[in-house]
Amino acid sequence: MLISAIETVLHDAYPHSVHVQVHTDEGIVGLGESYHHPEAIAEYVHSVIAPRMLGEPAENVASMWLQMGNFTDGMQPFSGTVSVESSATSAFDIAMWDVRSKALGLPLCDALGGAVRDRIRVYNTSAGTGHLPPPGTPRHRRHLHEDWGLSDAAQTRHDDWNASNLRPAEYAKELVAEGITAVKIYPFARLIPETRGLFITPSQLEENLEPFRAIRAAVGDAIDISVDLNFVWTAAPALQIVTALDDFGLLWIEDPMRTSSLDALARLAAKVKTPIAAYDYQCGLPAYIQLIDSGAVSLARLDLQWVGGVSEAVRIAGYADAKGLGVVLHDCTGPVQWAAAIHVSVHLRNAMIQESVRAFYRDLYPLIVERVPQIIDGHALPLDGPGHGAVLLASYLVGARRRISTVRNGAYVCEPVA
């Protein structure tokens, strides 16, 4: 079975997302996904990956990396922080694992070697589809902010970003009633425009501890709490924040410092009892070896669509496991990688918990894919059937901009799909 065509799918209504479909000469189609810089990723897929991969064996994921990896590093997956190259190769890897699993007639978790659990506990990230652009942001600049960049008509009914800040007690009770046993909140993100991560005043610190107090008062220990500090803080304010948070018994403190500040992060981690988790914007095993060996983290976080796909995520998790660390797979970014991530989470022996966003899996993802994994009693179940189980809706494809690369009469061709 050979790769016969490689397709990219962009949709103006979802301006951060890009999907990659790998077609084979036996009719199997694999689906991958990435998020951020979709136009650049699509161009990289067609100009770099497709000419290398067309006509290659479709089931051989290991051989694939010898064709499309970083040519300055022995064709290894790209390493460092997320880039167009790492995003494109990650999306392609996810699609190739989907092809391989379908060719074997197995769910992705079984194609990887089997599942160590039948479901994975989830935490609800307090996000929404339109929470980050400041009020009044022009429509043509919404895509520059790290939300889904959606129009007002496509907003979710779950505004968990504001709920976690404005009515945290009620929000926590709502989650517990649904069976959700863990939540992640972002109260300190409100300070970034003013402080740029350089300082925090006593009153600012006190104000942003209130959601933690309110949640604990409302539901006690019925829900675990983690906090994301958005990898923006310098050492002094980061130490003030994490020290103040140490008494709340948090599940973890995430990304308290910049990704380039590993030495300072390791010193910070040594001063507090709360686990430090980081960085799902990293990619490649070498970057995670540096992160883990620095002693800066107790949990390694990764995202399939940036880290190097399923292949590199499994390698990184294995290294983390050998060093005694758990891993957490990220999701705020798309239904395909989320479906694949749940399969990977049930496969990995050291997967601690799976990120989820009810604003997305209830309201947004069903607009893009045919099936979304179920959340039952606070746990995610992998989609059944061969592959990762995510398939783009026909209605999504109708409104999309699609290009397909193939070889015709011995010549490489890239053209729009009607």
Side-chain angles (χ1 to χ4, degrees):
M1 183 170 62
L2 304 178
I3 297 174
S4 58
I6 298 171
E7 179 184 356
T8 58
V9 182
L10 306 174
H11 201 300
D12 290 339
Y14 307 87
H16 280 328
S17 295
V18 56
H19 293 99
V20 176
Q21 297 200 113
V22 176
H23 300 259
T24 73
D25 60 357
E26 295 185 10
I28 292 176
V29 179
L31 177 62
E33 178 180 67
S34 197
Y35 184 85
H36 288 319
H37 314 301
E39 301 278 357
I41 292 169
E43 186 58 38
Y44 189 92
V45 167
H46 290 294
S47 63
V48 178
I49 295 178
R52 296 177 181 178
M53 296 309 305
L54 288 167
E56 293 296 313
E59 305 104 318
N60 195 334
V61 181
S63 175
M64 170 196 75
W65 278 107
L66 299 179
Q67 305 292 328
M68 73 164 193
N70 184 352
F71 78 94
T72 68
D73 193 26
M75 305 308 284
Q76 293 294 311
F78 294 90
S79 181
T81 54
V82 60
S83 65
V84 168
E85 293 96 335
S86 71
S87 298
T89 52
S90 296
F92 194 79
D93 181 274
I94 295 169
M96 288 290 286
W97 271 104
D98 197 29
V99 168
R100 177 173 173 78
S101 303
K102 289 174 177 176
L104 293 172
L106 296 173
L108 174 58
C109 57
D110 290 333
L112 288 168
V116 299
R117 55 182 74 86
D118 65 356
R119 61 194 64 200
I120 182 78
R121 183 189 177 205
V122 299
Y123 67 94
N124 188 69
T125 284
S126 304
T129 56
H131 60 276
L132 285 179
T137 300
R139 182 71 184 94
H140 71 283
R141 290 183 178 168
R142 287 184 61 88
H143 73 284
L144 300 176
H145 297 270
E146 194 192 333
D147 75 331
W148 278 76
L150 304 180
S151 66
D152 291 339
Q155 298 307 311
T156 175
R157 58 196 161 104
H158 295 290
D159 186 7
D160 290 347
W161 177 271
N162 284 320
S164 65
N165 289 319
L166 302 179
R167 49 182 188 89
E170 179 184 348
Y171 171 55
K173 291 177 182 177
E174 190 177 298
L175 292 177
V176 170
E178 291 183 10
I180 303 296
T181 59
V183 64
K184 184 169 76 178
I185 61 176
Y186 300 78
F188 295 93
R190 298 175 290 184
L191 301 177
I192 294 172
E194 177 184 351
T195 69
R196 297 182 182 271
L198 299 172
F199 67 89
I200 186 168
T201 67
S203 61
Q204 288 172 330
L205 182 58
E206 186 66 21
E207 178 185 358
N208 288 286
L209 294 176
E210 279 305 311
F212 300 92
R213 295 192 183 105
I215 291 172
R216 284 285 181 246
V219 298
D221 295 330
I223 198 163
D224 284 320
I225 311 171
S226 60
V227 59
D228 192 333
L229 297 182
N230 302 102
F231 44 77
V232 71
W233 299 93
T234 51
L239 181 59
Q240 291 174 278
I241 294 168
V242 299
T243 301
L245 290 170
D246 232 358
D247 292 331
F248 287 97
L250 301 184
L251 195 59
W252 69 71
I253 297 171
E254 183 175 329
D255 299 346
M257 297 188 66
R258 302 166 183 174
T259 56
S260 57
S261 306
L262 282 188
D263 289 344
L265 180 60
R267 292 193 295 271
L268 180 78
K271 296 178 185 296
V272 295
K273 60 188 179 184
T274 305
I276 302 297
Y279 282 111
D280 40 46
Y281 282 85
Q282 297 272 61
C283 61
L285 177 59
Y288 278 87
I289 289 175
Q290 184 181 17
L291 174 66
I292 292 166
D293 288 356
S294 73
V297 298
S298 299
L299 289 165
R301 293 180 51 83
L302 42 153
D303 189 305
L304 299 184
Q305 63 189 343
W306 298 325
V307 76
V310 173
S311 300
E312 197 71 343
V314 170
R315 291 211 304 161
I316 291 164
Y319 186 83
D321 190 36
K323 294 290 186 173
L325 271 62
V327 297
V328 179
L329 271 65
H330 175 259
D331 175 62
C332 281
T333 46
V336 178
Q337 83 81 27
W338 188 56
I342 293 169
H343 276 276
V344 174
S345 284
V346 300
H347 163 71
L348 294 175
R349 56 183 284 169
N350 60 330
M352 173 188 177
I353 197 169
Q354 169 67 52
E355 184 165 20
S356 66
V357 185
R358 64 177 186 166
F360 296 166
Y361 64 73
R362 289 182 181 168
D363 302 332
L364 178 59
Y365 293 171
L367 302 177
I368 300 172
V369 293
E370 293 179 0
R371 295 192 299 155
V372 176
Q374 289 184 292
I375 305 294
I376 298 176
D377 296 329
H379 291 73
L381 280 64
L383 290 171
D384 58 8
H388 53 56
V391 177
L392 294 176
L393 283 165
S395 56
Y396 184 83
L397 291 171
V398 165
R401 292 179 288 121
R402 303 163 64 185
R403 279 195 294 162
I404 194 163
S405 292
T406 190
V407 175
R408 189 180 302 142
N409 299 322
Y412 172 73
V413 177
C414 180
E415 57 192 2
V417 177

